[in-house]
């Protein structure tokens, strides 16, 4: 008896997962999942979702290609070893800039999504408030209108949005400030029910990482991979810590 296709969800998480003009899935994480499935011989059914977290929880899909790893999500979903790392930065307006982390004291910091909330609270303990906005577009518009003082977001997501869309506040120049220690791990997530079939896919995702295919796929999106540079040792330590955390929870 043949196993049913893995139902893989997709929505807008550019540049990792996106909805192409024809309505199908595209992006780096989509390419990684397709290549891993090809190697494992698994069939995939792609399902467009409105909310990846809810789609997994509700059993509408079996797998989501790439998701930030948090302690809460480890309790709810079955993750692969993480295979990507995001660097988060502060984006402010040049005429009222946040030039360093200490400048967040007394300021309102906006996030594009909730997974980075715990990290933001630890990095900006003296901020006046930390809010979660409706995606990167909504966060940048809040910055331009003065509702918030800075956006704390993945640098690749911000850059990709600015390349593909009109400037959210063309009268102003944006300033990007690096934040030491601001990194989040990401991996592929599945439901517990799909664990066994997902593990077969995960094994081949590891191959894609290890044999250099991930670097090749990432280059097509003008992205550098975290697995082939000086972050490798830290990635390995984080990966070990991730699964120690999973065992603890």
């Amino acid at each position: 008896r043949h196993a049913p296709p893995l139902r893989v969800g997709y929505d807008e998480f550019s540049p990792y997962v996106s909805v192409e003009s024809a309505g199908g899935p595209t992006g780096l994480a989509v390419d990684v999942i397709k290549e891993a499935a090809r190697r494992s011989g698994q069939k995939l059914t792609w399902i467009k979702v409105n909310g990846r977290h809810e789609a997994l929880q509700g059993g509408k899909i079996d797998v989501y290609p790439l998701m930030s790893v948090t302690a809460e999500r480890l309790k709810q979903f079955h993750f692969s070893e993480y295979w990507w790392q995001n660097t988060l930065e502060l984006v402010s307006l040049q005429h009222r800039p946040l030039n360093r982390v200490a400048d967040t004291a007394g300021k309102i910091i906006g996030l594009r999504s909730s997974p980075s909330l715990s990290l933001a609270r630890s990095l900006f303990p003296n901020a006046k408030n930390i809010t979660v906005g409706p995606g990167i577009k909504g966060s940048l518009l809040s910055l331009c209108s003065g509702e918030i003082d800075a956006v704390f977001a993945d640098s690749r997501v911000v850059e990709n949005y600015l390349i593909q869309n009109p400037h959210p506040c063309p009268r102003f120049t944006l300033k990007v400030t690096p934040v030491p220690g601001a990194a989040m791990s990401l991996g592929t997530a599945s439901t517990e029910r799909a664990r066994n079939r997902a593990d077969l896919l995960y094994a081949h995702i590891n191959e894609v990482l290890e044999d250099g295919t991930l670097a090749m796929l990432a280059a097509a999106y003008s992205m550098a991979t975290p697995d082939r540079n000086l972050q490798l040792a830290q990635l390995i330590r984080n990966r070990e810590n991730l699964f120690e955390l999973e065992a603890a929870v």
Side-chain angles (χ1 to χ4, degrees), residues 66-232:
L66 190 64
M67 184 179 283
S68 300
V69 181
T70 67
E72 180 182 0
R73 286 178 174 177
L74 283 171
K75 296 175 184 177
Q76 298 171 320
F77 308 127
H78 174 52
F79 273 88
S80 67
E81 292 189 16
Y82 84 78
W83 52 270
W84 198 258
Q85 186 179 66
N86 280 348
T87 299
L88 286 78
E89 299 173 326
L90 283 168
V91 181
S92 58
L93 299 180
Q94 186 69 56
H95 66 279
R96 47 187 180 91
L98 272 62
N99 294 310
R100 51 183 183 157
V101 172
D103 292 342
T104 60
K107 304 296 185 181
I108 300 175
I109 309 300
L111 313 179
R112 70 171 188 83
S113 60
S114 56
S116 55
L117 183 57
S118 177
L119 178 62
R121 285 173 173 166
S122 67
L123 291 170
F124 316 127
N126 298 317
K128 180 180 179 180
N129 193 17
I130 298 176
T131 65
V132 179
I136 190 61
K137 178 181 178 179
S139 297
L140 289 173
L141 288 174
S142 294
L143 173 65
C144 297
S145 67
E147 296 175 39
I148 61 177
D149 298 294
V151 176
F152 182 56
D154 171 13
S155 57
R156 295 186 186 96
V157 170
V158 174
E159 290 165 7
N160 190 73
Y161 177 84
L162 294 175
I163 290 170
Q164 296 189 5
N165 298 275
H167 196 296
C169 40
R171 293 186 297 122
F172 303 128
T173 301
L174 299 178
K175 177 178 178 59
V176 176
T177 302
V179 178
M184 292 192 70
S185 303
L186 295 90
T188 303
S190 82
T191 63
E192 280 296 329
R193 187 170 184 176
R195 172 186 282 264
N196 290 338
R197 289 185 295 148
D199 280 343
L200 177 59
L201 187 73
Y202 294 171
H204 290 276
I205 290 176
N206 287 343
E207 288 183 3
V208 170
L209 171 70
E210 292 164 1
D211 68 9
T213 302
L214 176 60
M216 180 186 70
L217 294 173
Y221 296 90
S222 300
M223 288 191 285
T225 56
D227 61 301
R228 292 291 183 268
N229 57 32
L230 294 177
Q231 294 177 343
L232 178 58

